[in-house]
Amino acid sequence: MEPLIIVDGANVVGSVPDGWWRDRAGAAARLRDALAGRDTAALPGDITLVVEGAARGVASIDGVPVEAAPQSGDDHIVALVRDNVSHRSVVVVTSDRGLRERVIELGASIVSPGQLRATISYGGHRDST
């Protein structure tokens, strides 16, 4: 079974200082699209993008389901790990130290936002203003 890769959308988007705070939903949509266009040989597995706050309206697309956290994105990611780790390997993409500790305790592996960005064409979006 393919691993489940859970992407902490806010953390990955926030790792690129490109003005994402002016359009959180747009930044999350760009990340989603980059995940959908990934080289599956370089990044194999089923990807779920978790969004929160102003990015909650970002829709799923083929290959990248988007889950809007009803409250805390971290708590939603922990619940996804808990629901899946007993029957498949789970990888969480985040640099959030507290979240990392929580999901490692449950048996998940960690990939940093930088490692993820190295495998997809996501560098954020540069504003000209």
Side-chain angles (χ1 to χ4, degrees):
M1 179 177 279
E2 292 278 313
L4 173 62
I5 302 167
I6 302 169
V7 179
D8 180 351
N11 191 262
V12 174
V13 166
S15 70
V16 179
D18 64 354
W20 58 263
W21 50 90
R22 290 194 243 7
D23 181 11
R24 294 169 194 255
R30 287 189 298 279
L31 174 58
R32 176 207 57 203
D33 295 348
L35 291 167
R38 77 191 184 281
D39 175 359
T40 55
L43 187 63
D46 299 324
I47 292 189
T48 297
L49 175 61
V50 175
V51 296
E52 60 186 320
R56 280 193 185 108
V58 173
S60 297
I61 59 174
D62 282 345
V64 183
V66 178
E67 293 207 12
Q71 300 290 325
S72 159
D74 289 3
D75 290 346
H76 192 73
I77 290 168
V78 168
L80 287 172
V81 170
R82 189 176 292 118
D83 290 346
N84 286 278
V85 75
S86 66
H87 61 277
R88 69 192 303 189
S89 62
V90 178
V91 177
V92 176
V93 180
T94 189
S95 61
D96 180 300
R97 183 173 293 149
L99 177 58
R100 290 169 71 108
E101 291 172 3
R102 292 171 69 190
V103 299
I104 287 171
E105 284 179 14
L106 294 171
S109 301
I110 299 296
V111 168
S112 74
Q115 291 170 303
L116 173 70
R117 287 193 322 271
T119 65
I120 62 174
S121 61
Y122 179 77
H125 174 73
R126 300 279 176 217
D127 284 339
S128 58
T129 57

